[in-house]
Amino acid sequence: MRSPGRILLVSALGVVTGGTVGLAVVGFADAVAWANALLPISPATRAGFAERPGLLALLTVLVPVAGGLAVGQILRIGLAGGAALGPADAILAVQGREPAPPLRAGFVTALAALVSLGMGASVGLYGPLVHLGATIGSISAHLGRRLAGLRDIAMACGAAAAIAAAFNAPIAGLIFAHEVVLRHYSLRAFAPVAVAAVTGYLISSAVLVRPALFLVAFDGVGHGYEFVLFAIEGLLAAFLAVAYMTAIFAATRIAERSPLAPWLRPAFAGLVLGLVALAVPGVLGVGKDTLASVIGAESLSAGGLAVLLVAKLAMTALCLGFGFVGGVFSPALMIGVLGGTLYGLGVAQLLPLDLTGVLPYAICGMMAVTSPVIGAPLSTILIVFELTHNYDLAIAATVAVVFSNLVANHVFGRSYFDVQLRERGFNLREGRDRAVLGRRKVARHVSADYVALGPEQPVQTLIARLAASGYAEAFLTDGAGRFRGVVRLQDAVTRPEDMRLRDLVAADLVIFGERTTLLEAMERMRGFTGGAVPLVADDGRLLGVVPEGAVIGAYLDEIRSLRQEENAGA
């Protein structure tokens, strides 16, 4: 397609995806808020039960249990008991060049997340929105299905629009899509993703007039030495983020080993959540009201903050590990703001220093915990700036975020999503090219064009067959088709004609299996001599051969394609 046509198409893609995702994000968030207001989840609704404490306590326990039962059935029926999808699946589809997750699975996941969030599960709102945006983007890609790379750009457009609409932060949405989903800044992708982010933002803020996540009034950091305190806060926040992510993985492993059926696990998590919420109601739901109240207040109880922080971390890990569907972003915001506020209060009590107040420490803590969880330091800094329009707060958050990411990346990994993918065999920490090559099976390049002989046949038969075929080696199989070795012409020409081939099998064999990847194949072929490598099944049968040229060609094609994608112009 010529450049002007492509520009028009990708611009239309950005507008369509951004507008659709913007509407979906607002509708999803409003549905969650409506359910939280109808049920005793939001603080305002719970306050209305002040004269009926017994009923409130009963509903506090029963509503999350009912939500867990509903989510379990949705996943059992809609996904045949499979796992719900999330941002990691969108990242895998783009980074691993894998097929996009099925649309049905994407929408079933969105429904399960809506029920989870609406009925009080301690999970995040923004992860499901990002995946929903990517799902809508993959649908929008059908506008130009023949255009190379369009699906990946469309999924990034959906993710950008979701963040832009959810936070009223279009620049952060644009950078998030490039930082987390695409992980490159090619000009080909930049324009449509920017258009989608701005369109999603306009739908949310201008058309439907949704308020920002939180509003703050801040005159600026009063003392230069506080930036040292922000750096120390970032270091401490890194360990809080690592504890949060580790707890989720630990809860997931506990759930997998538990005797509970998968569809019952969310109900069990709902029961525990409800019982904890009787004492600490702030653990219920997304926690947006709690987040705003902590940011907006200056006189707070350190003990109450500490209890809520521990409870929120533990309940989020439990809910996500045991099958509720949601994200890790929103709880990280709340855990971070609680930890940051505690840090600010502690510094004020322990050090003889004049501080600006608790607010900058709360904001820095919020972003210093969140950024290593989602692997998006630039995006979180921009969210601060776009939400607060305060340069001093953005600089303070930058200091905390930088130190937090340095430590968390070393101790845990780039993000929660990257570690999820690493556990599934896609390790981006070693580089995208190695991760992609590590998922490509060399069996895709198997050939049936080779000389096969029996181990009992004589050398004269080998020489005759190889002379007729032009090959320099033959592959030995027994009567059941099992692989018995390789015999090379150079080893046979000086041997007696009646010598059996079993006595000439080469010792320096390279063998591929059904699960051998292209990356493993290239590493095994260092110093390889020969024309092809046998591909042997788990039961020992010879499935065919993989020509050396096919392996090298496939490797070079993958590398070339990745570089073109990452450095493409308009």
Side-chain angles (χ1 to χ4, degrees):
M1 179 176 290
R2 300 176 65 180
S3 183
R6 180 187 179 95
I7 292 172
L8 288 174
L9 178 60
V10 296
S11 298
L13 173 73
V15 172
V16 171
T17 303
T20 307
V21 172
L23 291 171
V25 164
V26 172
F28 190 96
D30 283 355
V32 170
W34 173 82
N36 288 173
L38 179 67
L39 303 168
I41 306 299
S42 70
T45 304
R46 293 182 65 83
F49 283 82
E51 297 181 358
R52 294 173 290 174
L55 179 59
L56 177 61
L58 182 64
L59 292 176
T60 298
V61 175
L62 291 182
V63 169
V65 172
L69 288 172
V71 168
Q73 291 301 315
I74 290 171
L75 297 180
R76 186 179 69 84
I77 297 171
L79 299 180
L85 305 179
D89 296 282
I91 295 170
L92 177 61
V94 174
Q95 293 299 306
R97 315 186 85 185
E98 301 279 348
L103 297 181
R104 173 186 170 87
F107 289 116
V108 169
T109 295
L111 175 61
L114 181 61
V115 174
S116 297
L117 290 158
M119 302 192 75
S122 180
V123 294
L125 173 65
Y126 303 112
L129 292 180
V130 167
H131 188 269
L132 178 61
T135 300
I136 293 172
S138 68
I139 299 174
S140 302
H142 290 284
L143 283 172
R145 62 178 65 188
R146 294 183 180 180
L147 205 57
L150 190 68
R151 187 213 63 176
D152 293 351
I153 294 173
M155 293 180 72
C157 285
I163 292 296
F167 286 96
N168 283 353
I171 302 176
L174 166 65
I175 299 302
F176 176 87
H178 285 279
E179 194 173 19
V180 175
V181 180
L182 290 174
R183 306 198 183 198
H184 62 73
Y185 289 88
S186 72
L187 291 176
R188 176 183 295 176
F190 193 85
V193 174
V195 169
V198 171
T199 304
Y201 162 74
L202 291 175
I203 290 292
S204 175
S205 64
V207 177
L208 301 177
V209 196
R210 288 301 184 271
L213 178 64
F214 57 81
L215 300 172
V216 299
F218 185 68
D219 296 329
V221 178
H223 312 284
Y225 54 75
E226 290 190 81
F227 286 93
V228 177
L229 300 177
F230 297 142
I232 296 171
E233 182 179 13
L235 297 175
L236 297 174
F239 291 103
L240 183 56
V242 169
Y244 169 54
M245 293 184 284
T246 302
I248 297 173
F249 282 110
T252 302
R253 287 190 287 270
I254 292 170
E256 290 170 350
R257 293 195 298 265
S258 74
L260 290 172
W263 65 272
L264 275 175
R265 292 171 190 167
F268 170 77
L271 175 62
V272 177
L273 173 68
L275 294 174
V276 172
L278 293 176
V280 190
V283 299
L284 291 170
V286 177
K288 181 178 178 180
D289 294 323
T290 303
L291 182 70
S293 66
V294 172
I295 291 174
E298 290 287 336
S299 178
L300 300 164
S301 163
L305 289 172
V307 169
L308 181 54
L309 187 155
V310 173
K312 187 66 177 177
L313 191 154
M315 289 302 100
T316 302
L318 178 74
C319 288
L320 290 173
F322 274 74
F324 272 114
V325 180
V328 295
F329 199 148
S330 304
L333 291 173
M334 187 169 171
I335 290 167
V337 80
L338 292 169
T341 303
L342 276 171
Y343 175 79
L345 293 173
V347 168
Q349 290 292 322
L350 297 175
L351 298 181
L353 297 174
D354 184 21
L355 302 182
T356 305
V358 173
L359 177 62
Y361 297 94
I363 298 293
C364 286
M366 178 171 63
M367 294 309 173
V369 170
T370 302
S371 60
V373 170
I374 65 172
L378 291 177
S379 303
T380 52
I381 292 167
L382 287 167
I383 286 173
V384 171
F385 185 73
E386 290 190 274
L387 286 180
T388 65
H389 299 284
N390 190 291
Y391 187 75
D392 271 13
L393 268 180
I395 295 300
T398 299
V399 172
V401 163
V402 165
F403 282 92
S404 174
N405 278 269
L406 284 173
V407 173
N409 194 0
H410 177 73
V411 174
F412 185 82
R414 170 172 168 159
S415 71
Y416 174 77
F417 308 129
D418 278 25
V419 175
Q420 275 186 312
L421 293 177
R422 189 171 69 204
E423 292 197 345
R424 290 158 61 176
F426 188 72
N427 189 4
L428 283 165
R429 195 162 194 169
E430 296 180 353
R432 186 189 178 195
D433 51 353
R434 289 181 65 85
V436 170
L437 292 170
R439 290 180 69 85
R440 298 291 183 266
K441 297 296 186 290
V442 77
R444 297 166 59 185
H445 307 285
V446 67
S447 170
D449 186 11
Y450 62 94
V451 174
L453 294 171
E456 300 301 323
Q457 290 184 279
V459 165
Q460 62 184 1
T461 301
L462 170 76
I463 294 174
R465 289 284 301 277
L466 292 181
S469 66
Y471 291 120
E473 60 195 357
F475 299 85
L476 305 185
T477 58
D478 61 17
R482 290 187 294 269
F483 177 68
R484 288 293 180 255
V486 176
V487 178
R488 299 189 179 106
L489 180 61
Q490 64 189 31
D491 297 329
V493 290
T494 60
R495 302 290 183 166
E497 290 187 351
D498 60 350
M499 186 176 185
R500 302 304 168 186
L501 296 181
R502 66 171 182 271
D503 299 321
L504 289 176
V505 171
D508 56 336
L509 282 182
V510 175
I511 299 175
F512 295 156
E514 295 177 89
R515 289 178 291 279
T516 301
T517 66
L518 197 52
L519 180 62
E520 293 169 336
M522 288 296 293
E523 291 174 344
R524 290 185 195 176
M525 290 179 66
R526 291 178 184 270
F528 172 75
T529 56
V533 177
L535 182 71
V536 180
D538 293 340
D539 61 4
R541 289 179 299 108
L542 179 65
L543 300 176
V545 300
V546 182
E548 180 184 25
V551 176
I552 296 172
Y555 175 86
L556 293 175
D557 288 344
E558 288 286 356
I559 295 297
R560 186 183 304 111
S561 180
L562 288 172
R563 296 298 174 264
Q564 288 175 345
E565 176 185 322
E566 294 169 3
N567 297 284

